[in-house]
Amino acid sequence: MNDTFLKACRGEKVDYTPIWIMRQAGRYLAEYRAVRGKADFLKMCKTPELAAEVTLQPVDILNVDAAILFSDILIPCEAMGQGLDFHEGKGPLLSPAIRDKDTVNKLFVPDPEDTMKFVMDAIRILRKELAGRVPLIGFAGAPFTTATYMIEGGTSKNFLNTKRMVYENPELYKSLMDKITATITLYLKAQISAGAQAVQIFDTWGGIFSPSDFRDHALSYVKKIISDLKQWMLAERREAVPVIYFVGESAGLLEEIKTCGADVFGVDWRINLDDAIRRLGGDVVVQGNMDPLAMFLPKEKIEQRVKDVLNRATSARGHIFNLGHGVVPETPRDNVIALVEMVHRLSRK
Ligand code: CP3
């Protein structure tokens, strides 16, 4: 079994730097587009065999060191009772937008094995099909990032409705966040019980806050999830499953983030990795952090950037190579294959 990724998560010695890529199953792969041509995105998420099929594609094609479950962070919103749809070109649409007491009260904290069984079924299929080849990463959105979609009703530019709720109606915001936090906690436990070997919490929009607002209105809920998961793993005498916390545009927030209790810190490209490591406290495991659009550079320039990231990572206890955000659909697939090869070759001791 290739357990290099899990060893790196735990800060143990590895023979080379493991790599996986956010959004590694996606439209930049013709093999993904072929499956997607037969089913819409939500249908793919809800059909365990299809979700498992596209999860395995990048493992075969790219030779990455981990698989990440194919799904979406918005799946739990539907399970909580909000309508969810993905529109071509418009991205996700959630309705009704959650903006008052009435809509918050109608949301519930669902049993994940009941309402999102297709996710756990996909995990169970994948663990069989992977047969130990590489570990499987499960994931969820962080409560704040999930809340932005629920409150805005979709993607947003300035998060006006979200920030208005935080500032104008903090009790309502807290009651919504408590429901989302309870849902995500149960959801991640169900994924781990089904066989997820690591979990990543995505806080894509955390960077829209000032540091103190981030701490009070986003990070506090993530801390609660992580400490709850850790206590549960101990009580159940389970092998510790590493928790990765990724925050988008986190450069101004690292001193807050370092207190979250995660095993691995995801870092985007807007900061040099050595700088991020120092500000996270030094003795940490980091994941990142090349600009996804640097994948459009010629291969020799990509190689220089790989070397640069690997060099800057040497001050950390552990490093998992990744892009600083998801790979975009237009990305040349050959460059992604080359990236994985470069990271493996250049980091090998
Ligand atoms: O990383 C992986 O390969 C696992 C699968 C995964 C998807 N979404 C598949 C997806 C993961 C981990 C996500 C997380 C996700 N989803 C996030 C957090 C990380 C990030 O990218 O910031 C967010 C904010 C979402 C919400 C979401 N899902 C949006 C805004 C969109 C539309 C934009 C787009 O890229 O089309 C999606 C759709 C989505 N999720 C696609 C995929 C492969 C594209 C669907 C398609 O095939 O058309």
Side-chain angles (χ1 to χ4, degrees), residues 193-260:
S193 297
Q197 291 155 289
V199 291
Q200 175 154 318
I201 300 173
F202 285 90
D203 224 345
T204 305
W205 303 121
I208 69 158
F209 271 140
S210 68
S212 64
D213 279 339
F214 172 75
R215 179 190 63 217
D216 296 343
H217 305 300
L219 187 69
S220 55
Y221 300 92
V222 171
K223 277 188 182 170
K224 190 160 182 299
I225 292 176
I226 296 176
S227 79
D228 196 330
L229 287 178
K230 301 260 168 198
Q231 276 173 31
W232 170 76
M233 287 187 259
L234 271 178
E236 298 250 310
R237 296 174 193 277
R238 291 172 171 274
E239 209 186 332
V241 165
V243 179
I244 309 166
Y245 182 40
F246 168 79
V247 184
E249 303 210 28
S250 62
L253 306 172
L254 294 169
E255 283 77 10
E256 298 295 341
I257 290 171
K258 76 177 182 192
T259 67
C260 76

Side-chain angles (χ1 to χ4, degrees), residues 70-220:
F70 183 82
S71 186
D72 200 85
I73 62 162
L74 302 177
I75 293 291
C77 307
E78 193 177 46
M80 293 177 76
Q82 194 177 24
L84 170 64
D85 212 344
F86 282 85
H87 277 247
E88 224 56 62
K90 271 194 268 177
L93 292 178
L94 294 112
S95 62
I98 309 297
R99 296 194 192 156
D100 54 26
K101 214 172 168 176
D102 190 44
T103 43
V104 172
N105 284 343
K106 281 194 184 127
L107 296 171
F108 41 92
V109 176
D111 174 352
E113 272 289 355
D114 183 24
T115 54
M116 297 178 274
K117 182 166 180 292
F118 50 86
V119 172
M120 273 46 83
D121 285 344
I123 293 173
R124 288 184 277 260
I125 293 173
L126 278 162
R127 282 300 302 277
K128 274 204 199 105
E129 294 194 349
L130 281 165
R133 200 145 54 109
V134 292
L136 177 65
I137 306 170
F139 70 88
F144 170 67
T145 289
T146 306
T148 66
Y149 287 95
M150 296 180 81
I151 297 167
E152 303 292 339
T155 307
S156 175
K157 282 204 170 71
N158 60 5
F159 302 92
L160 174 72
N161 298 293
T162 308
K163 286 193 174 174
R164 278 190 69 172
M165 193 193 287
V166 170
Y167 297 139
E168 291 179 344
N169 203 341
E171 289 84 31
L172 182 67
Y173 177 76
K174 185 174 181 304
S175 68
L176 172 61
M177 289 293 277
D178 286 341
K179 276 190 173 172
I180 299 173
T181 302
T183 299
I184 303 286
T185 305
L186 291 172
Y187 184 45
L188 287 173
K189 286 180 186 171
Q191 291 186 32
I192 293 167
S193 297
Q197 291 155 289
V199 291
Q200 175 154 318
I201 300 173
F202 285 90
D203 224 345
T204 305
W205 303 121
I208 69 158
F209 271 140
S210 68
S212 64
D213 279 339
F214 172 75
R215 179 190 63 217
D216 296 343
H217 305 300
L219 187 69
S220 55

